[in-house]
Amino acid sequence: MGLLSRKATCNSHGQDSSYFLGWQEYEKNPYDEVKNHRGIIQMGLAENQLSFDLLESWLAKNPDAAGFKRDGQSIFKELALFQDYHGLPAFKKALVDFMAEIRGNKVTFDPNRIVLTAGATSANETLMFCLAEQGDAFLLPTPYYPGFDRDLKWRTGVEIVPIECSSSNRFQITASALEEAYEQAQRKNLRVKGVLVTNPSNPLGTTMTRDELDLLVNFITDKEIHLISDEIYSGTVFSSPAYVSIVEVLKDRNLENTQVWERVHIVYSLSKDLGLPGFRVGAIYSNDPIVVAAATKMSSFGLVSSQTQYLLSAMLSDKKFTKEYIAKNQKRLRKRQSKLVAGLEKAGIGCLESNAGLFCWVDMRHLLSSDTFEAEMELWKRIVYDVKLNISPGSSCHCSEPGWFRVCFANMSEDTLTLAMQRLKSFVGSIASNDRSHQEMKNSRRKLRSKWVFRLSFQSFHDREQDER
Amino acid sequence: MLSSKASCNSHGQDSSYFLGWQFYEKNPFDVVKNPAGIIQMGLAENQLSFDLVESWLRKNPDAMGLKNKEGESVFRDLALFQDYHGMPAFKNELVEYMAKIRGNKVKFDPKNLVLAAGATSANETLIFCLADPGEAILLPTPYYPGFDRDLRWRTGVEIVPIHCSSSNGFRISMHALEEAYERAQKLNLKVKGVLITNPSNPLGTTMAKDELQSLITFAIHKNIHLISDEVFSGTVFDSPCFISIIEAAMDSNLERNIDVLSRIHIVYSLSKDLGLPGFRVGMIYSNNQTVVAAATKMSSFGLVSSQTQYLLSCMLANKKFTGKYMKENQRRLKRRKEMLVSGLKRSGINCLKSNAGLFCWVDMRHLLSSNTFEAETDLWKKILCEVGLNISPGSSCHCSEPGWFRVCFANMNQSTLEVALRRIKGFVERSRLNYQQNMGGFSRRLLSNWVRKLSSADHREEQER
């Protein structure tokens, strides 16, 4: 049998196999309000299911957009043939306007500098191919989206070196952490080509402060490297502080049209704020014409369906709709996040204070039997098997401190969230009463029940890690 | 500052080739507004059967409107569906459609099908799965110019050509195969596989069973893979009927079957027969489970829009429609091709005998001033600027013999093709006259002096296919 490539046989793609246990368990026993109310509730999926009604209502009022019609005339043929990797001009215009709107129109974007790709997954990989050689490295602040291990490294051969962030300062990026990461890369003989940040952050749900952004600009200027700002959650900022985009900072510092301006690249997608991950709409925005040119050609490997480009160009061109959608969607996200935070609080669990995203970064350190990742895994398995909630353990996000979990709140109904909070409260309560009963049994050691056997299955079914995002 | 991939700026693009594109774009033919403009004959698109698809769409508005058979909205489910295993209903329909194209002589398992954003994505992904950077794939010439980018650019894999010639209708000979393999060895390149396009682009021919079986034997012998790009399989409009690589493989003795099947991989797409390149629907089919698993994960980088998967799964589910479409589409392609062939013949120009594709492989060797690629380029420029036709020179397809051109016939209406044929006739007659006038003169030279500035603006070369 002919040999396959190393990429095909390495079988790691940055996937943590124990993490997928949660997925498997969920799939075997998914919660359903009617049919399976004791099943596992999925809280590991960063999807936005809160505002579909707004989209459906728009679609119902605008049937031509999905019906391949423009001004009542069929444009099916035109769309069926349209495979220009420069993208549908009307769609790019509508998209950059939407991006500007999300940023309070404090910045504007040029449709000639945007490159469409099949999702942010494709955009991120393409940017790696454009900016780095095999063996080069990008610095990423931890905790970060687990999918980056595959998206940025797998086929590109690029390495990730973590910028360790800690709860001591709410996981913000510091100058020393940046320097330390850079030096670590040097020690490993890795040439650093840039920094990639996710802002708003996944999994933290926080937006970066102006100080952090300034720090980054200074750092990339000093080291003469790139900055990729993955802003796919920019439309999910639901409370203050208001979102400050990297472009805004560059503008405020009069850095437009300088060398550093050309080294900042933005990634966007409609999967999070519009809740349309299935439509595969991502984008790269860059002020470097060579990057735009190369990325445009590379987008051949992942173009957006013209059918989808047309539908969304019509939708996003409706400014009345987009304005209303952004406002209502954010309001619903805020309400839902508050509900999660309050519910956790009732269970004696705190979260990192957040103002964006579709999840909270939850502090369960006090529930660990020891300050170790083994204890985090134990706790996580209990939550999956006993409490029946599939949440994401911090270790899967490369967090340097055990005990943190990402818990999603926008991918279920309000009732389901209520139930999830009740289960968690009971669980925490039972730990507390266990403690008391142990003490009553004159055993002064607080030990959580922790003996069970887990068979880690390595079957690759349902390893839909792209849903983790 | 940037990667070498971003700054190398070659992507296998021949910059003089894009002159054709630029000229066309500046001066496109329009029967009313610009009857003297350049006619696009370099685009392998199928525009002959849209009316059939549009008729189906009109009768089935719910498929576009994201509603199911009961009229209920499936928008939410589709909006959230990003499973890289693909929509089961869509894959089920695709494998049935693929089988139908092959006369139901083979059956496909949807579990072995991996969806990709077009065959461009499928081909690149397959190469990522089968070869490491610096390794090589053998390709018979002439081949689709886009392969230079699709198979090599980001993968770092090399292409080593298998030279085919007009002496035997450009068929792949065992000798040429062995020669290519040895050449790769001399270049210190490890060969990981052979990639064929069947039906061929740019030849428009299908491969015979014995040709396919020789390739399979070769692949087993050298312990390499065999990729069969069958994107044009639905465009076979004449005999001999299409024989897929899988059918040829099934015909071998049973013992080798599992081994054989694990090294054969098919690429398909809906861009050519269904004429839907804008929808980005491509796929890889393989019996090799490791390849399927890896390609499935890699498809994350180019998934098909769920909106599109849904629409097309509804359309392909209608067997009455697909049966009617296949038959009528092939009939129209055949008729159109015959129109081109007979028109060219009237101008004293022959084509390679073909039974598939959206183009003919045209023999203009007798119109060359000399048997060189310079003369071919001269002729090509004349045809572009004087005759006003954008056709594809054989050199852009890495053909080893000068004088062959790929001329598309399915991307325009009938009257436009008639205009094109008249122009060619006029050109050939003028050339003959010129030749006769210059007979007393010395060299047979077609007018060829002009100054051209090669602009390096990037172009839509993906449409060359």
Side-chain angles (χ1 to χ4, degrees), chain B residues 81-113:
Chain B
F81 186 84
Q82 54 171 334
D83 185 351
Y84 57 27
H85 292 100
M87 206 172 278
F90 186 40
K91 297 210 304 181
N92 287 338
E93 296 307 336
L94 280 171
V95 297
E96 280 193 39
Y97 185 69
M98 285 172 72
K100 197 171 184 140
I101 284 173
R102 290 155 183 73
N104 287 312
K105 282 175 278 174
V106 287
K107 210 163 174 282
F108 296 97
D109 182 348
K111 290 199 200 70
N112 291 338
L113 192 72

Side-chain angles (χ1 to χ4, degrees), chain B residues 367-384:
Chain B
L367 297 175
L368 295 182
S369 57
S370 60
N371 185 20
T372 61
F373 286 109
E374 288 73 31
E376 178 184 284
T377 304
D378 274 354
L379 177 58
W380 171 66
K381 282 176 185 166
K382 271 200 101 167
I383 294 176
L384 178 63

Side-chain angles (χ1 to χ4, degrees), chain A residues 5 49 129 133 307 463 466, chain B residues 3-4 76 82 84 128 308:
Chain A
S5 66
Q49 296 190 22
F129 274 123
E133 305 293 347
Q307 176 191 17
D463 51 336
Q466 75 265 38
Chain B
S3 69
S4 52
R76 238 185 98 114
Q82 54 171 334
Y84 57 27
F128 268 125
T308 300

Side-chain angles (χ1 to χ4, degrees), chain B residues 116-130:
Chain B
T120 300
S121 177
N123 277 317
E124 191 199 40
T125 292
L126 252 187
I127 299 299
F128 268 125
C129 288
L130 304 179

Side-chain angles (χ1 to χ4, degrees), chain B residues 422-464:
Chain B
R422 276 201 297 272
R423 288 185 186 181
I424 291 176
K425 191 153 197 285
F427 167 71
V428 169
E429 276 166 8
R430 281 195 307 277
S431 305
R432 214 172 279 140
L433 230 70
N434 263 339
Y435 170 66
Q436 281 163 359
Q437 282 172 356
N438 286 338
M439 264 273 271
F442 312 106
S443 43
R444 269 187 254 165
R445 216 180 33 188
L446 299 169
L447 290 168
S448 61
N449 57 345
W450 36 62
V451 173
R452 198 123 315 161
K453 256 233 215 97
L454 290 182
S455 153
S456 57
D458 62 342
H459 268 280
R460 294 172 299 172
E461 79 278 12
E462 74 269 15
Q463 286 156 319
E464 299 159 11

Side-chain angles (χ1 to χ4, degrees), chain B residues 317-351:
Chain B
N318 188 327
K319 306 299 183 197
K320 195 153 162 259
F321 167 76
T322 56
K324 180 174 157 204
Y325 181 91
M326 277 173 63
K327 216 164 146 205
E328 178 60 20
N329 181 46
Q330 286 164 9
R331 192 187 71 85
R332 293 177 185 186
L333 288 170
K334 180 174 180 182
R335 214 174 58 178
R336 189 57 80 79
K337 172 243 172 186
E338 281 169 356
M339 187 180 156
L340 174 64
V341 170
S342 53
L344 288 172
K345 205 172 183 129
R346 278 196 292 275
S347 302
I349 298 172
N350 290 323
C351 301

Side-chain angles (χ1 to χ4, degrees), chain B residues 53 64 82 96 113 124 194 224 231 256 259 264 274 278 296 321 323 352 359 379 390 395 420-421 444:
Chain B
V53 177
M64 291 184 287
Q82 54 171 334
E96 280 193 39
L113 192 72
E124 191 199 40
V194 179
I224 60 178
V231 295
R256 298 185 313 184
D259 171 64
I264 290 176
L274 284 185
T296 298
F321 167 76
L352 182 72
F359 34 73
L379 177 58
N390 182 31
S395 50
L421 290 169
R444 269 187 254 165

Side-chain angles (χ1 to χ4, degrees), chain A residues 62-119:
Chain A
N62 298 271
D64 280 3
F68 300 106
K69 287 205 183 94
R70 188 199 287 137
D71 302 325
Q73 303 278 51
S74 170
I75 54 164
F76 173 74
K77 193 175 137 144
E78 189 189 310
L79 290 175
L81 292 172
F82 187 85
Q83 54 170 334
D84 185 353
Y85 56 26
H86 292 99
L88 206 65
F91 183 43
K92 295 208 300 184
K93 180 77 181 63
L95 193 56
V96 298
D97 285 350
F98 188 66
M99 286 170 70
E101 172 109 41
I102 283 173
R103 288 154 185 71
N105 288 309
K106 283 176 275 176
V107 288
T108 54
F109 296 96
D110 179 354
N112 292 319
R113 296 184 181 183
I114 201 164
V115 180
L116 300 176
T117 61

